[in-house]
Amino acid sequence: MKEIADIIKAYEKARKEGKKTALATVVKVEGSSYRRPGARMLITEDGILTGAISGGCLEGDALRKALSAIHQQENKLVTYDSMDEDDAKFGVQLGCNGIVYILFEPIFDDSAANPIAILSALQGKRENAALAVLFSLAGKNQIGTNALLRMNDQYTSGENNLLPLFSNDLQKVLETKKSAFLDYSINEEPVNAFLEFISPPVSLIIAGAGNDAQPLANFADLLGWNVIIADGRQTHANSQRFPNANQILVTKPEQLLPQLEIDENTAFVLMTHNYNYDLALLDLLLPTNAPYIGTLGPKKKLIRMLDELNLNTEGNQSRVHGPIGLDIGAETAEEIAISIVTEIKAVLSGASAGQLKKKDAPIHVHESEIN
C-alpha cells in the first residue's frame, strides 16, 4: 500500500505541473524476478519514477516504453525474458531466471476512472479490496486496470465496465484473501486477468511516547504503516516529538480502545515504561481480536502482569509477544525498533522470520500456488 500511496501522491504533483504520466504494473511473472505481480511504478514524461517494478534493471527501458505508451495514447504489454541468453538485446541485463510481463497504461487526466482514480479508491476505506487488471498475452486487447471491489462497494472503469465478466471471481479473491490469475474471452478474443488481493496497511498503536518510541514510529512510517501514538503525558505525546504519526492520543488506557479500529492488520506495542498503564491496557487488549500484542521488557514482567490479571494461561503467554521483537542482538533504541518492526511484519504475514538462505522453498509464492 505504501507504493500505491506514493504513486498517487506523485501523480497529483505531476498533474498540477501539467506533466503527462503512465502507470507500469507487473501483471505476471514466470520463474524468478525481483518484484512480483502487483508491483507498480509511475513514470512522468520528464523521467521521474515513483515506485519500482524491478531491482533497477528494468527501469531505464520502462521509461522508454512508458513514453511510447503516452505518445501513442494506448496501453502496452511488454515482455522481459531473462531466461533468453541474449537478454542484452533489451539493454537491461536482468540477472534473474524469469519472464516478467509489464503493462504500461497512459493516464488520461480527464477520465474519472483512470487507473490512478481506481487506485485512489483504495485509500477511501480501511478495508480489504480486490483489484482487477486485464491484459492479453496473445492479442492486443490490453484493457488495463479495470475494477476495484470491496465488501460493500465497487469502483469500475466507466468507459469499459466489464465487471460482470469476472465479478464472481473477484468476490472469491476478496473472500479467500488470495490473488488469482484467470483467463477470459471478450468478443471471442482471449483476455488474461490479474485479480489482486490488497489489504490495508498495518495499523501500529504504540502505547508510550518515550524516546525509544520515536525510532519505532519512524521505521513504521517508512514502511507506510498507519502510526498511532498513545500516552497519558501531553509533554511526550505531541507532534513535535512524533511529526510522522498519523494520530496522537493523550489518553488513559480505558479511553483508548473506543477511539481505535482494531482489525486483522492491527498491532499494539506496550512501551510506556509505566507498569500500571501497560497492565491496564493489556487487560483491555486480551479480550479483543488484535492479531499482535507486544510488551517491552523481560519475560518475567509479562508473567507478573498476567498473574495480577489472573490471566496467566499458556494461551495468553503464547499470544502476547514479550519480550517483544526478534533476536537480532539489538541494543540501541533504533536496533530494538528494527527487531520489533520485523517481528510484527513476520507475525502478520505468517512468515517464519528465519534466514532466507536456509529456506528450501522459493522466497515468493509461485503463481501456480496462488489460484
Side-chain angles (χ1 to χ4, degrees):
M1 277 295 292
K2 183 181 187 301
E3 188 168 66
I4 291 176
D6 289 343
I7 284 173
I8 293 171
K9 188 181 298 183
Y11 167 73
E12 291 298 333
K13 182 176 184 294
R15 186 175 63 85
K16 290 178 181 178
E17 295 174 352
K19 298 177 183 178
K20 296 180 179 178
T21 59
L23 179 69
T25 304
V26 178
V27 292
K28 186 176 178 62
V29 170
E30 297 174 7
S32 176
S33 174
Y34 186 84
R35 297 298 306 273
R36 305 305 294 173
R40 292 176 173 84
M41 182 173 71
L42 184 78
I43 305 103
T44 65
E45 60 182 333
D46 59 345
I48 297 176
L49 310 177
T50 303
I53 52 173
S54 74
C57 47
L58 295 181
E59 276 66 8
D61 190 71
L63 172 58
R64 291 188 287 272
K65 297 298 191 297
L67 292 177
S68 175
I70 291 173
H71 177 71
Q72 297 181 25
Q73 296 190 0
E74 64 178 14
N75 296 347
K76 292 181 176 294
L77 184 72
V78 178
T79 304
Y80 296 95
D81 186 356
S82 64
M83 292 190 288
D84 186 343
E85 293 182 358
D86 190 29
D87 70 347
K89 65 187 178 184
F90 293 115
V92 292
Q93 293 288 357
L94 296 182
C96 296
N97 189 28
I99 303 174
V100 185
Y101 300 89
I102 299 177
L103 181 66
F104 292 87
E105 302 176 78
I107 309 301
F108 301 105
D109 298 338
D110 56 351
S111 172
N114 64 46
I116 300 298
I118 294 177
L119 291 178
S120 297
L122 283 168
Q123 299 183 318
K125 296 180 181 179
R126 186 175 173 79
E127 293 181 8
N128 291 333
L131 182 68
V133 183
L134 307 183
F135 58 100
S136 178
L137 297 174
K140 297 182 178 180
N141 199 7
Q142 312 301 341
I143 297 172
T145 306
N146 185 265
L148 172 70
L149 180 68
R150 280 189 289 250
M151 195 58 67
N152 297 311
D153 65 350
Q154 64 188 42
Y155 194 100
T156 63
S157 169
E159 299 173 355
N160 193 1
N161 186 3
L162 300 172
L163 184 60
L165 178 69
F166 51 82
S167 60
N168 290 338
D169 293 322
L170 205 58
Q171 183 67 41
K172 184 178 179 181
V173 165
L174 195 59
E175 293 171 356
T176 61
K177 302 177 183 178
K178 291 184 178 180
S179 299
F181 296 85
L182 299 174
D183 300 326
Y184 301 97
S185 177
I186 299 176
N187 297 327
E188 299 183 353
E189 290 188 15
V191 172
N192 308 99
F194 171 41
L195 307 182
E196 180 184 9
F197 174 74
I198 301 178
S199 60
V202 173
S203 180
L204 176 62
I205 294 89
I206 304 174
N211 291 344
D212 55 350
Q214 291 175 308
L216 177 57
N218 290 337
F219 284 134
D221 174 69
L222 190 63
L223 293 173
W225 294 3
N226 183 64
V227 180
I228 300 174
I229 304 296
D231 197 296
R233 303 166 294 177
Q234 190 170 8
T235 54
H236 288 65
N238 56 63
S239 58
Q240 286 72 37
R241 289 172 51 78
F242 296 91
N244 297 324
N246 299 86
Q247 191 175 7
I248 298 176
L249 301 173
V250 180
T251 182
K252 297 178 180 179
E254 61 271 18
Q255 299 169 339
L256 176 59
L257 295 195
Q259 302 181 65
L260 301 175
E261 179 182 355
I262 301 176
D263 57 31
E264 60 190 8
N265 289 300
T266 301
F268 283 87
V269 174
L270 280 55
M271 53 188 306
T272 65
H273 300 284
N274 181 323
Y275 181 83
N276 291 329
Y277 193 109
D278 286 354
L279 180 69
L281 187 53
L282 181 61
D283 188 28
L284 295 169
L285 286 174
L286 286 173
T288 71
N289 61 347
Y292 183 95
I293 303 170
T295 62
L296 194 68
K299 183 74 173 181
K300 62 182 180 181
K301 174 189 173 183
L302 173 60
I303 293 175
R304 177 188 169 191
M305 294 169 74
L306 293 174
D307 282 338
E308 287 194 32
L309 297 172
N310 293 318
L311 295 171
N312 192 4
T313 65
E314 184 176 340
N316 282 334
Q317 282 196 33
S318 175
R319 184 185 178 202
V320 182
H321 300 264
I324 194 172
L326 298 181
D327 183 7
I328 60 172
E331 293 287 345
T332 66
E334 290 76 13
E335 292 170 346
I336 293 171
I338 291 174
S339 76
I340 293 173
V341 165
T342 50
E343 182 181 61
I344 293 173
K345 173 61 179 174
V347 170
L348 296 184
S349 300
S352 67
Q355 291 180 289
L356 290 175
K357 71 176 184 178
K358 296 181 179 180
K359 187 175 181 179
D360 295 329
I363 296 175
H364 300 288
V365 176
H366 193 270
E367 289 181 19
S368 62
E369 302 174 47
I370 293 179
N371 291 333

